[in-house]
Amino acid sequence: MLFTKTLFMKKLIAEFIGTFWLVLGGCGSAVLAAGFPELGIGFVGVSIAFGLTVLTMAYAIGHISGCHLNPAVTVGLWVGGRFEGKDVFPYIASQVLGGIAGAGVLYLIASGKSGFELGGFAANGFGEHSPGGYNMQSALITEVVMTFAFLIIILGTTHKKASAGFAGMAIGLGLTLIHLISIPVTNTSVNPARSTSQAIFVQGWAMEQLWLFWVAPIAGAIIAGLVYKYLAPNNE
């Protein structure tokens, strides 16, 4: 019993560290480097940064916790029959706390610059808070569809019949593509933990709109879990 509890605690710590890295690396690139004068990395750079955070952690902690780093991924894997229901909420708690810790470190770094203003702090939003001015309907559709696609990639590449060892690359590149498509719409969430971590610091409008970045990704993940479970059950 003690061994089992210790093993599970290691999984939760791994999820905390992984989500910490995702937020610090992905949102950090947006806050610190995207608009840097003349040499900024822009949307493409931020997209690559998010993909790299998942790719690197997939190989670093995938063998420990499965490297979910995302409440929507955890829910989607559970619906798809790949994850125990009793472990869903502890995983989500670790992911949210890890994301907040990552945002906290990012805030400490960013606020060290003279004239610092919090601004949007890479928070997700719609309407006037969408980078491209997209409305709530566009944001909702985008987040559902992008998360659906992300979970299809995850469920497919981690299927027992898939080629071993390549899942991390496909998942990281998939997240990069998702960001390339959807940063202009919502700043790209597909991850409630990532959205929560930034909204807590921005407060105001970001907290008011946060509901969409929980509802839409989880809805997309549930649909993907059901669809992939029908297409290719992991026990085939």
Side-chain angles (χ1 to χ4, degrees):
M1 179 65 75
L2 181 60
F3 174 77
T4 301
K5 287 183 178 180
T6 301
L7 186 61
F8 186 63
M9 183 56 66
K10 288 180 179 180
K11 292 181 179 182
L12 297 182
I13 292 170
E15 285 295 304
F16 179 96
I17 293 170
T19 314
F20 170 92
W21 181 235
L22 181 144
V23 169
L24 183 58
C27 296
S29 71
V31 171
L32 302 174
F36 198 83
E38 298 182 12
L39 297 175
I41 62 174
F43 286 173
V44 174
V46 174
S47 300
I48 293 171
F50 269 102
L52 287 174
T53 63
V54 171
L55 190 155
T56 50
M57 278 296 146
Y59 294 107
I61 66 169
H63 59 286
I64 301 172
S65 68
C67 191
H68 297 190
L69 317 185
N70 182 339
V73 171
T74 298
V75 171
L77 290 173
W78 168 58
V79 172
R82 306 282 189 86
F83 192 68
E84 293 285 340
K86 64 181 176 60
D87 296 337
V88 169
F89 288 109
Y91 259 57
I92 290 175
S94 290
Q95 293 155 3
V96 171
L97 291 173
I100 293 171
V105 170
L106 175 58
Y107 178 82
L108 291 174
I109 295 170
S111 61
K113 181 180 178 180
S114 177
F116 167 75
E117 293 182 6
L118 185 64
F121 202 53
N124 300 114
F126 54 84
E128 64 178 305
H129 303 294
S130 156
Y134 290 87
N135 65 18
M136 185 178 73
Q137 176 179 300
S138 295
L140 186 66
I141 293 170
T142 298
E143 290 295 325
V144 170
V145 174
M146 293 299 138
T147 312
F148 171 85
F150 191 39
L151 264 294
I152 290 293
I153 294 168
I154 292 170
L155 288 162
T157 56
T158 58
H159 193 280
K160 69 179 186 178
K161 287 189 176 180
S163 299
F166 293 98
M169 280 190 248
I171 294 167
L173 289 172
L175 189 61
T176 298
L177 176 57
I178 286 166
H179 277 78
L180 287 171
I181 297 167
S182 60
I183 286 179
V185 184
T186 61
N187 245 350
T188 309
S189 172
V190 301
N191 185 338
R194 169 262 192 271
S195 298
T196 301
S197 68
Q198 305 307 115
I200 283 176
F201 284 85
V202 177
Q203 292 292 310
W205 66 265
M207 291 298 290
E208 292 170 6
Q209 296 189 357
L210 181 60
W211 66 269
L212 186 145
F213 302 104
W214 275 88
V215 172
I218 288 177
I222 289 172
I223 297 168
L226 294 171
V227 168
Y228 209 89
K229 191 174 183 180
Y230 170 74
L231 292 176
N234 206 41
N235 58 4
E236 284 186 347

